[in-house]
Amino acid sequence: QVQLVESGGGLVQAGGSLRLSCAASGSTISTSFSTYGLGWFRQAPGKEREFVAAISSSGGSTYYAHSVKERFVISRDNAKNTMSLQMNSLSPEDTAVYYCAARRGLFLYSRTTSMAYDYWGQGTQVTVSS
């Protein structure tokens, strides 16, 4: 079993920045984390969960939703079993619960789809005020 825990959410004014973190744990996480594809998703009230960003197992490739491209930066530290999402130029439209997710092995679905992932965190609230 793999556990994911998000942190760093909170209230920020429009135009501000926030950095989210995702920490992974488990009995074999030290050897397995570096093999997981990782992603961030978000869900606002009344809306479907949507893809935000993803990063390959080595960190060599990143993927972003059009709505956050050039504003958000995803990264990972395989030595610390963590993943981060740096969010800049935030707007009220970014308000949502943000979830981190991990996929073991090959992706059977697109990494932009929630069905592709095996493990999920509980989420952290991000609220952007105007």
Side-chain angles (χ1 to χ4, degrees), residues 4 14 34 36 55 57 69 89 96:
L4 303 175
S34 62
Y36 297 159
I55 188 167
S57 59
K69 196 170 185 178
S89 301

Side-chain angles (χ1 to χ4, degrees), residues 90-102:
L90 287 164
S91 70
E93 288 70 39
D94 297 312
T95 295
V97 176
Y98 284 70
Y99 300 89
C100 65

Side-chain angles (χ1 to χ4, degrees), residues 1-44:
Q1 285 286 331
V2 174
Q3 294 81 47
L4 303 175
V5 180
E6 302 93 340
S7 62
L11 176 64
V12 64
Q13 287 189 306
S17 298
L18 204 61
R19 187 177 182 87
L20 305 182
S21 295
C22 175
S25 62
S27 60
T28 62
I29 195 64
S30 295
T31 56
S32 61
F33 185 79
S34 62
T35 72
Y36 297 159
L38 304 173
W40 287 97
F41 289 77
R42 67 186 182 186
Q43 187 166 26

Side-chain angles (χ1 to χ4, degrees), residues 29-104:
I29 195 64
S30 295
T31 56
S32 61
F33 185 79
S34 62
T35 72
Y36 297 159
L38 304 173
W40 287 97
F41 289 77
R42 67 186 182 186
Q43 187 166 26
K47 296 185 177 180
E48 296 181 345
R49 184 172 298 186
E50 67 173 349
F51 169 76
V52 177
I55 188 167
S56 62
S57 59
S58 68
S61 298
T62 57
Y63 312 83
Y64 298 94
H66 183 266
S67 60
V68 307
K69 196 170 185 178
E70 298 182 339
R71 295 192 299 121
F72 291 8
V73 179
I74 188 172
S75 62
R76 65 188 295 165
D77 188 338
N78 287 343
K80 297 181 179 179
N81 303 321
T82 60
M83 172 179 64
S84 296
L85 183 69
Q86 178 66 46
M87 304 184 293
N88 301 314
S89 301
L90 287 164
S91 70
E93 288 70 39
D94 297 312
T95 295
V97 176
Y98 284 70
Y99 300 89
C100 65
R103 167 74 186 187
R104 60 181 180 88

